[in-house]
């Protein structure tokens, strides 16, 4: 017996939850990173923590944060929770930041000609991975991997701030 597959229309396609990082703008930056890795014959390790000197640019540039990445979820049940209180979350991050809708960030990734930086958060099983990405080049300039951790927390921004301050 032949099974018929019905594909959703473009209007019905919605990416939610863990697949949020596979939207067009993010994919562009991922592909830039993969292309550079292939050219340089270097692997990418998502569990390796690093800070590149370019991170110091956040002293003078805005860190953009996709509002969709701020939702929290219950690690045991996978249920979405409400967004954290922004003041508490960012209390130890003294630099400029802006929370924006993904569509605005995507527009920047696809069209902006100058360097800009955004936060990316990934959850792989019980591992939280926070990246800061140069949205123009796709370069990941900061990566912090935390075992047995879920959701973005104030201490994540405190770590980022500390790393920025240590760079001259």
């Amino acid at each position: 017996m032949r099974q018929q597959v019905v594909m959703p229309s473009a209007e019905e396609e919605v990416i939610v939850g863990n697949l949020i990082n596979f939207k067009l703008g993010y994919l562009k930056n991922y592909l830039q990173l993969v292309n550079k890795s292939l050219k340089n014959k270097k692997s990418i390790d998502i569990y390796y923590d690093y800070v590149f000197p370019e991170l110091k640019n956040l002293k003078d540039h805005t860190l953009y944060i996709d509002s969709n990445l701020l939702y929290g979820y219950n690690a045991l049940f996978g249920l979405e929770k409400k967004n954290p209180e922004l003041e508490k979350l960012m209390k130890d991050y003294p630099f400029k930041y802006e929370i924006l809708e993904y569509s605005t960030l995507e527009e920047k990734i696809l069209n902006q000609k100058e360097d800009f930086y955004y936060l990316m958060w990934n959850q792989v099983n019980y591992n939280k991975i926070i990246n800061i990405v140069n949205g123009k080049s796709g370069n990941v300039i900061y990566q912090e991997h935390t075992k047995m951790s879920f959701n973005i927390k104030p201490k994540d921004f405190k770590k980022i701030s500390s790393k920025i301050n240590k760079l001259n």
Side-chain angles (χ1 to χ4, degrees):
M1 181 176 183
R2 198 170 186 177
Q3 186 177 16
Q4 182 179 8
V5 177
V6 179
M7 299 298 290
S9 69
E11 295 80 33
E12 294 173 320
E13 291 184 41
V14 177
I15 299 175
V16 296
N18 295 336
L19 295 178
I20 201 165
N21 296 352
F22 288 96
K23 292 185 175 182
L24 184 60
Y26 296 142
L27 282 174
K28 176 189 175 193
N29 285 155
Y30 287 148
L31 291 174
Q32 287 173 303
L33 181 63
V34 168
N35 189 42
K36 287 175 194 155
S37 296
L38 289 170
K39 281 183 178 179
N40 296 328
K41 297 181 181 179
K42 290 188 177 186
S43 296
I44 300 169
D45 185 346
I46 63 170
Y47 298 114
Y48 179 71
D49 295 343
Y50 56 85
V51 175
F52 286 113
E54 187 178 353
L55 186 68
K56 70 181 174 196
N57 292 348
L58 284 174
K59 288 181 179 178
D60 302 313
H61 286 78
T62 302
L63 176 63
Y64 294 99
I65 304 169
D66 177 355
S67 61
N68 293 316
L69 294 179
L70 294 180
Y71 71 88
Y73 71 96
N74 181 307
L76 295 176
F77 302 107
L79 304 172
E80 286 191 30
K81 297 186 296 187
K82 65 179 183 172
N83 286 345
E85 291 182 39
L86 198 53
E87 295 79 26
K88 287 182 183 177
L89 187 65
M90 304 303 290
K91 70 179 181 174
D92 293 315
Y93 186 82
F95 308 106
K96 293 184 286 187
Y97 67 90
E98 182 178 333
I99 310 300
L100 42 70
E101 296 296 317
Y102 172 75
S103 59
T104 304
L105 181 58
E106 181 179 83
E107 180 69 25
K108 291 175 85 52
I109 293 171
L110 297 177
N111 298 310
Q112 188 161 319
K113 303 297 183 209
E114 301 85 31
D115 289 332
F116 69 97
Y117 304 94
Y118 67 88
L119 180 94
M120 175 57 66
W121 166 56
N122 295 286
Q123 190 73 40
V124 179
N125 298 323
Y126 296 102
N127 299 284
K128 174 174 62 178
I129 303 161
I130 294 181
N131 302 114
I132 296 179
V133 180
N134 179 322
K136 177 186 165 199
S137 68
N139 292 335
V140 177
I141 63 168
Y142 172 87
Q143 182 163 288
E144 179 77 28
H145 162 255
T146 309
K147 292 180 183 179
M148 296 304 293
S149 181
F150 305 91
N151 304 313
I152 296 176
K153 299 174 182 153
K155 67 182 176 181
D156 296 316
F157 286 100
K158 186 174 185 173
K159 282 183 193 176
I160 293 168
S161 178
S162 174
K163 302 287 184 182
I164 292 169
N165 283 325
K166 288 180 181 176
L167 295 169
N168 291 327

